[in-house]
Amino acid sequence: QQDLNDALGDLQLTEQVRLAQALNLSNAGLWEWDLSTDRIYWSDTLRNLYALEASTPPSYDNWLKSVHEDDRLMVTARLHEMLRLEQEINLEWRVANLPVGKERWLFTNGKPLRDAQDKIIFYRGVVLDISERKKQETHLQEKQQQLDFALDTLRAGAWTLDLQTHVMQRTEL
C-alpha cells in the first residue's frame, strides 16, 4: 500500500511539473477567483505575464495595476458587465509597467462554476500572451490601409472570386 501511495504521489508531482512546464512553454497562466471570499489564485507564470514581482500576492487590485492605464476603464467596465450578466469572462488588454518600446497583449477566458442553487461562486480561467497575434493584426491592418489608399488614389477597384466556393469579394469602386 505504501509503495502504491508513493507511486501515486510521484505521478501527481509529475503531472504538476508537466503543467508548470506547459504553462511556461505556452506563455500562459491559470487563475481562480472565489467570489464568496474574493480570494484569487494565480499560477507562478501569471506574475511574469503581468510584469509583476515574484512576491506580488494575487489580488484584483494587483491584477488591475498590471493592466495598461489606457485599457483599465474598458477592461473593468467589460469585466463588471460580464459578471453582472453571469457570463464567461473574455478580455484582452495590454500590460502596464513594461520598458518603453515593449508591448505585451494578454487574453483571458474564465468560466463560471456554480453551486447547487445555480449561483456563480467561482471563476476559473487561463491567460494567454497574444502579443504576436496582435502584432500580425496590426501589420495586416496597415497593409489594408496602404492597399485602400493605393486603390483610392488610382481610382481603381479590385475583386476576387473563389472558384471553389463561388464567393466573390470586391472593393466599393
Side-chain angles (χ1 to χ4, degrees):
Q1 183 65 37
Q2 184 61 40
D3 288 342
L4 181 59
N5 287 340
D6 290 344
L8 285 173
D10 289 345
L11 181 61
Q12 288 174 339
L13 178 62
T14 302
E15 288 300 314
Q16 289 173 347
V17 169
R18 285 182 186 147
L19 176 60
Q21 288 175 342
L23 290 172
N24 277 324
L25 289 171
S26 61
N27 259 350
L30 302 175
W31 57 269
E32 295 178 350
W33 185 8
D34 185 336
L35 298 180
S36 63
T37 64
D38 203 32
R39 190 154 187 212
I40 295 175
Y41 162 81
W42 292 339
S43 64
D44 291 335
T45 52
L46 276 189
R47 286 178 185 83
N48 184 44
L49 286 173
Y50 292 166
L52 297 171
E53 296 293 323
S55 61
T56 305
S59 73
Y60 176 85
D61 289 336
N62 285 334
W63 165 74
L64 194 56
K65 288 176 191 172
S66 79
V67 175
H68 193 282
E69 64 184 24
D70 293 342
D71 297 342
R72 279 186 196 144
L73 186 59
M74 178 272 303
V75 166
T76 55
R78 289 204 55 229
L79 175 62
H80 291 290
E81 182 69 5
M82 289 176 213
L83 292 172
R84 187 182 67 76
L85 297 173
E86 298 187 343
Q87 297 175 334
E88 288 186 18
I89 295 173
N90 290 292
L91 297 169
E92 291 183 4
W93 69 93
R94 289 172 294 167
V95 175
N97 306 318
L98 292 176
V100 173
K102 295 280 185 179
E103 186 173 74
R104 181 179 304 142
W105 279 88
L106 300 178
F107 166 77
T108 190
N109 175 255
K111 301 218 181 263
L113 299 152
R114 299 175 183 271
D115 64 11
Q117 290 74 39
D118 203 36
K119 179 183 175 197
I120 296 177
I121 56 168
F122 209 82
Y123 273 91
R124 182 174 289 140
V126 63
V127 174
L128 303 172
D129 183 338
I130 60 167
S131 302
E132 191 58 37
R133 185 191 92 194
K134 285 295 202 178
K135 205 180 299 182
Q136 293 300 321
E137 287 175 0
T138 300
H139 179 72
L140 285 173
Q141 287 172 349
E142 289 169 355
K143 292 299 180 191
Q144 183 64 51
Q145 289 171 350
Q146 290 172 357
L147 177 60
D148 291 344
F149 175 76
L151 289 172
D152 189 48
T153 301
L154 294 170
R155 296 188 190 270
W159 60 271
T160 62
L161 174 63
D162 186 321
L163 296 175
Q164 292 179 340
T165 63
H166 302 285
V167 172
M168 187 170 94
Q169 294 179 327
R170 61 181 174 79
T171 61
E172 182 119 359
L173 187 63

